[in-house]
Amino acid sequence: MRFSFGEFILDGATRQLLRAGNERHLEPKAFALLELLMGRRPEAVSKNEIQQRLWPDTFVSESSLTGLVAQIRRALADDGRRPRFVRTVHGFGYAFSGVASLEPPETVKSRLAPRVVWDEQVMPLRAGEDLLGRDEDAAVCIDAPGVSRHHARIVVSGDRATLEDLGSKNGTYLRGNRLEAPAALGDGDTFRLGRQLLVFRSSRQKASTLTETAGPRRRA
């Protein structure tokens, strides 16, 4: 199963924890613990049950469990005192406290990746943060006048995507309004980086007039 939460993806099929498309290392038992907590959310899971699941018929000290929790929190940049994702239930166990969505494997395989269309070019987005701008390393490189090097970003989390301006000189506009805060994107929404018009797509479509490319065409 594949879970999306915040800027993270937990993919049970590939056994990977991803943040903005980059893998965050977890030892196998730490991965199994995070998967267990997410699968039982928002219920708390007792230390006894966790130990039976991770170390069946084997005695381990409680420090082994707390070490796994610490590893998960480091990977998620989570703070145990003010947790976003992993909450300590004192005297009992642990619980996943974040908001997560679940996709069956068949849904993940059949869904076309979200993408941005610009100047007859289709540029795929990846899970997590996608930079839009004139920078050559941007996920969506828009090499055009009026576009800042780091102009905006789209954050993809499960079926949701949000657009945010990054303090650009000429602004980011969604549905005709200049963005002052992150805003949700829907399939077919048009937005502008300065004067450059783009379209966000999140579902399958007939695209006979579009050219799939690995990157944008450079302008002289």
Side-chain angles (χ1 to χ4, degrees):
M1 305 300 280
R2 180 181 170 102
F3 296 94
S4 300
F5 58 104
E7 64 273 34
F8 296 95
I9 298 288
L10 186 73
D11 195 326
T14 62
R15 311 303 292 175
Q16 288 180 301
L17 172 66
L18 304 173
R19 181 182 189 183
N22 299 311
E23 184 172 4
R24 307 284 289 182
H25 175 71
L26 283 179
E27 294 176 2
K29 288 192 183 298
F31 188 97
L33 174 57
L34 180 56
E35 195 172 37
L36 171 62
L37 296 178
M38 294 197 69
R40 293 280 292 277
R41 71 191 189 285
E43 297 178 11
V45 184
S46 71
K47 294 178 182 179
N48 183 62
E49 181 179 349
I50 293 171
Q51 290 177 340
Q52 289 298 316
R53 292 285 294 272
L54 299 183
W55 297 279
D57 304 319
T58 303
F59 174 79
V60 296
S61 66
E62 189 170 320
S63 62
S64 298
L65 176 54
T66 56
L68 294 184
V69 173
Q71 183 183 151
I72 291 171
R73 284 176 171 154
R74 284 195 301 271
L76 299 178
D78 205 10
D79 185 345
R81 292 169 295 182
R82 290 182 292 180
R84 292 174 62 200
F85 302 119
V86 179
R87 176 172 62 91
T88 299
V89 183
H90 295 287
F92 183 78
Y94 299 93
F96 184 84
S97 56
V99 177
S101 59
L102 172 65
E103 294 178 322
E106 58 271 17
T107 301
V108 175
K109 292 178 181 178
S110 65
R111 190 182 64 194
L112 194 63
R115 55 216 180 274
V116 166
V117 183
W118 172 67
D119 195 22
E120 296 189 348
Q121 300 172 69
V122 181
M123 291 168 277
L125 302 173
R126 63 189 183 185
E129 181 178 314
D130 295 271
L131 177 66
L132 288 72
R134 199 161 32 83
D135 196 307
E136 292 185 357
D137 293 331
V140 178
C141 182
I142 308 297
D143 188 7
V147 177
S148 302
R149 290 182 64 251
H150 294 177
H151 196 110
R153 66 182 173 191
I154 294 175
V155 178
V156 178
S157 178
D159 291 331
R160 300 181 299 276
T162 56
L163 175 66
E164 180 182 0
D165 184 73
L166 296 178
S168 64
K169 178 180 179 180
N170 295 311
T172 301
Y173 296 80
L174 176 62
R175 307 182 196 99
N177 299 314
R178 184 163 184 162
L179 285 184
E180 301 296 338
L185 284 170
D187 183 47
D189 274 347
T190 59
F191 62 96
R192 288 190 292 114
L193 306 185
R195 295 186 177 182
Q196 300 301 313
L197 183 65
L198 302 92
V199 181
F200 173 76
R201 302 297 310 192
S202 62
S203 63
R204 294 186 180 275
Q205 73 192 59
K206 293 181 180 179
S208 58
T209 61
L210 300 178
T211 302
E212 296 280 353
T213 62
R217 183 178 63 227
R218 290 291 178 191
R219 298 189 172 209

